[in-house]
Amino acid sequence: MLERAAPIGVFDSGVGGLSVLRELQQLLPAEHYLYVADGGHCPYGEKTPEFIRQRMVAVAEFFRAQGAKAMVIACNTATAAAAADLRERYPQWPLVAMEPAVKPAASATRNGRVGVLATTGTLQSARFAALLDRFAVDVTVLTQPCPGLVELIEAGDLRSPALRGVLSGYLQPLLAAGCDTLILGCTHYPFLRPLLAELLPPEVVLIDTGAAVARQAQRLLAQSGLLSEQAAGAVRYWTSGAPAQFAEVLERLGFAPGQVAELPK
Ligand code: DGL
């Protein structure tokens, strides 16, 4: 029996899902959150879908053992590889997944050219191909896989010359093609907004899905009668990587200091 007071499990390969957690906390401040980073296996971008599916089942089981009333897959790459599998395994458990915002970008573009920054895994997935077939009908979509970017964000220095250099290289072909709208198709990338504002011409519009995911979580929980009635919520963190490193980056990304535990094997 799922309960209103139970926590929501939020998952990402690393710190990227914190960009979604931020939106969830803003919209649903009365909820308790359990955040799991699979830091020991990050990045997911170049991993096989089979490997990601196995990790996702392990994390979903962990959340369920903790009594989570719902799970948010705050990771585009994990959604592409494993969301369908998890929905099949746990048909009664509210699950929120996410994918690059192709539909809003197709409406936002003024010149019909949209660029997508995402991981190789997301861009190569059947799910992403289906998204393009469905929503990118009258627009040209240019995709840009970004290997290496997630590792640099995980390092926590969003101003490093290395990060600036790698990001500029990935933006270059999209700008050369005249894209006026860019989709941030990986939950790590919203943390790059300040740097992107320096590297992009002001007319380029950036789109990510964090706020939409939070609204979807709110809808699903409301439908299931599971919205929290507590006064205020809290967050607990686990990582399969190094807890001290996660705790440090958490603060560098502007989050309140939190207790970070090692994810049980
Ligand atoms: N943050 C993830 C996403 O939204 C994946 C990052 C990675 O581990 O490569 O795609």
Side-chain angles (χ1 to χ4, degrees):
M1 178 69 187
L2 301 171
E3 289 176 14
R4 285 173 178 272
I8 299 171
V10 180
F11 169 79
D12 182 45
S13 60
V15 296
L18 295 171
S19 67
V20 178
L21 179 68
R22 190 167 57 187
E23 302 288 347
L24 285 162
Q25 287 179 303
Q26 209 163 311
L27 189 67
L28 302 169
E31 301 292 343
H32 287 315
Y33 297 96
L34 313 176
Y35 187 96
V36 167
D38 197 9
H41 302 102
C42 185
Y44 271 14
E46 316 286 316
K47 301 272 192 305
T48 65
E50 187 43 41
F51 177 84
I52 296 172
R53 277 194 285 274
Q54 281 172 19
R55 292 302 303 154
M56 295 300 296
V57 172
V59 172
E61 287 296 325
F62 174 75
F63 282 145
R64 290 167 68 83
Q66 298 286 322
K69 64 183 173 185
M71 175 170 177
V72 176
I73 308 177
C75 176
N76 296 266
T77 314
T79 293
D85 182 46
L86 288 191
R87 285 191 204 286
E88 216 169 283
R89 265 174 208 267
Y90 312 110
Q92 306 300 332
W93 196 39
L95 188 81
V96 180
M98 63 191 298
E99 51 201 5
V102 174
K103 189 181 175 195
S107 328
T109 178
R110 290 140 291 151
N111 68 6
R113 280 170 218 198
V114 172
V116 189
L117 297 159
T119 67
T120 307
T122 297
L123 296 176
Q124 284 181 349
S125 68
R127 206 176 159 117
F128 183 70
L131 202 59
L132 290 185
D133 281 348
R134 189 146 171 234
F135 296 117
V137 189
D138 297 320
V139 298
T140 304
V141 175
L142 286 102
T143 57
Q144 178 62 61
C146 304
L149 208 49
V150 161
E151 292 91 316
L152 287 162
I153 297 166
E154 287 286 321
D157 183 358
L158 301 179
R159 291 273 151 198
S160 75
L163 180 54
R164 180 181 280 266
V166 170
L167 184 58
S168 304
Y170 289 144
L171 294 175
Q172 204 278 326
L174 302 178
L175 292 177
C179 295
D180 70 356
T181 305
L182 296 186
I183 299 173
L184 305 181
C186 166
T187 54
H188 281 75
Y189 305 165
F191 292 115
L192 299 176
R193 276 181 180 267
L195 184 55
L196 284 163
E198 286 173 26
L199 297 173
L200 292 170
E203 65 275 12
V204 174
V205 172
L206 298 175
I207 300 195
D208 75 77
T209 26
V213 167
R215 288 195 298 275
Q216 173 62 5
Q218 185 183 41
R219 266 194 297 273
L220 259 190
L221 291 172
Q223 270 167 22
S224 323
L226 286 172
L227 278 173
S228 166
E229 290 168 330
Q230 290 143 174
V235 197
R236 293 167 68 195
Y237 300 94
W238 287 265
T239 178
S240 60
Q245 155 82 4
F246 185 93
E248 193 192 316
V249 178
L250 185 68
E251 286 190 59
R252 287 175 86 161
L253 294 177
F255 285 77
Q259 282 296 328
V260 186
E262 204 172 308
L263 186 68
K265 294 249 162 32

